[in-house]
Amino acid sequence: MIDLTIENNVAEIVLNAPAKLNSLNEEALGELSSAYDDAAAAAASGAVRALVLRGEGRAFCAGRDISNVHPETDDAVAYLGGLVTPLLRKMAEFPAPTFAAAHGACLGVGLGLLVATDVVYVAENAKLGSPFANLGATLDSGGHWLFTERLGAHRTLDLIYTAELMTGADAVAAGLFSRVMPADELLQRTRDTAQRVASGATGAFRASKALVAGIRDRRIGLWESISEENTAQGELCGSDDYAEGFAAFQEKRTPVFRG
C-alpha cells in the first residue's frame, strides 16, 4: 500500500490504501519506513534532492488502522514507541527538503506524519484535530506538541476534550502548517514547489533544516543560533553551490546548483 517513485530528483511516496482512508497498520508502517530508507539512499547518491508525501483517494491518512485491533490484547506502546516514533524521527531527519500534500482526514498517526515533514501544504477540505475522545484514548504521534506549540494550552485542550476538527483553512490561519490551497490544485502545486526546491542549493537547505531543528528541539537562544548559523555558513562557503551562487549573482545569470 506504499508506493515510491523517483523522477527528476524528486521522490514521491504515496499512501495507497484509499478504501481504508490510508490508515496504517503495522505492515504499512514497515513499508513506509522502508520507502523512506530507499529514498534516503537515493538522496545520499544525489539522485533525490526533495521528497513529496501524499495520500491516494479521499484522505491523506485517517490514522491507525484499528479494524482488527482488540483492546484487550492491544499493545499501544509497541505500536507507537516501537513503530511510529522511529518512523517519525526518520522522516524528520530525511537528508533533503520534504513536502506533504494533505487533504481530507489527517488524524492520529496521519497528523504525526505531517508533524515530521518539513513543509506541509493542506487542502481547504482537510480535517485535522483529535478524535480520540470518541475512542477513550489520547492524542498521540506528536499531536500534543504540535497543538500546544502552535495553538497554546487552552485551544489544545479544547480540541482534545471536544474532538472537534479544524479545516485546512483554519489550521493554516492558526499557524499549524504552511499554506492552504484548493483541493484540486494541492498536489500539482506541491509537486511544482518540490521540483523547484530540488533544483536549488539543497546543501544550504539541509543546513537550514538542522538549524531549525536545533531551535525546535534544543530550544537554543538567539546568540547560540547565530553562532551555529556562522558555523554553517563557513562550511557552505567552501561548496561548489556557494561559488556558483555568487558567480551567477555577479554575472547576472540564473545559478545552476548541483546540490
Side-chain angles (χ1 to χ4, degrees):
M1 66 162 287
I2 306 298
D3 299 327
L4 167 65
T5 58
I6 298 173
E7 185 176 355
N8 296 325
N9 298 123
V10 177
E12 183 164 304
I13 294 178
V14 184
L15 310 179
N16 194 4
K20 300 192 300 181
L21 300 181
N22 300 316
S23 56
L24 299 167
N25 58 19
E26 289 84 348
E27 180 181 1
L29 285 171
E31 291 181 19
L32 184 55
S33 181
S34 294
Y36 271 87
D37 286 338
D38 292 343
S45 71
V48 165
R49 295 172 62 189
L51 180 147
V52 172
L53 175 66
R54 70 176 181 90
E56 191 64 50
R58 295 185 295 116
F60 172 70
C61 176
R64 183 183 184 185
D65 181 2
I66 61 172
S67 57
N68 294 310
V69 173
H70 302 288
E72 63 274 12
T73 59
D74 183 32
D75 188 343
V77 172
Y79 175 81
L80 294 170
L83 296 173
V84 175
T85 302
L87 170 62
L88 299 183
R89 185 176 293 276
K90 181 181 296 185
M91 293 173 61
E93 296 174 352
F94 189 79
T98 61
F99 298 82
H103 70 290
C106 311
L107 304 170
V109 178
L111 180 65
L113 300 181
L114 301 183
V115 175
T117 301
D118 295 344
V119 177
V120 177
Y121 298 150
V122 296
E124 294 169 334
N125 69 351
K127 297 295 182 184
L128 307 108
S130 176
F132 291 93
N134 299 318
L135 295 172
T138 192
L139 184 60
D140 56 39
S141 304
H144 282 90
W145 177 87
L146 175 69
F147 288 164
T148 304
E149 182 78 5
R150 308 285 171 79
L151 305 176
H154 293 285
R155 181 65 174 136
T156 295
L157 292 175
D158 182 11
L159 289 169
I160 290 171
Y161 293 167
T162 64
E164 294 175 359
L165 301 181
M166 305 174 74
T167 66
D170 290 339
V172 171
L176 285 177
F177 296 118
S178 303
R179 305 185 196 186
V180 63
M181 303 175 184
D184 60 353
E185 298 178 12
L186 175 69
L187 180 55
Q188 190 58 53
R189 289 176 63 178
T190 304
R191 285 172 168 165
D192 290 346
T193 301
Q195 188 65 69
R196 185 169 69 250
V197 170
S199 300
T202 47
F205 297 155
R206 284 195 299 272
S208 289
K209 183 170 179 171
L211 288 163
V212 170
I215 296 167
R216 179 195 64 206
D217 298 338
R218 294 186 283 117
R219 296 293 181 181
I220 64 174
L222 172 62
W223 303 111
E224 186 177 357
S225 179
I226 288 176
S227 177
E228 293 190 5
E229 287 172 342
N230 296 345
T231 299
Q233 198 75 290
E235 293 171 349
L236 288 167
C237 74
S239 70
D240 292 341
D241 277 354
Y242 192 95
E244 167 64 9
F246 273 71
F249 178 82
Q250 293 162 354
E251 297 165 12
K252 297 181 173 56
R253 60 175 174 81
T254 300
V256 180
F257 294 119
R258 303 299 180 187

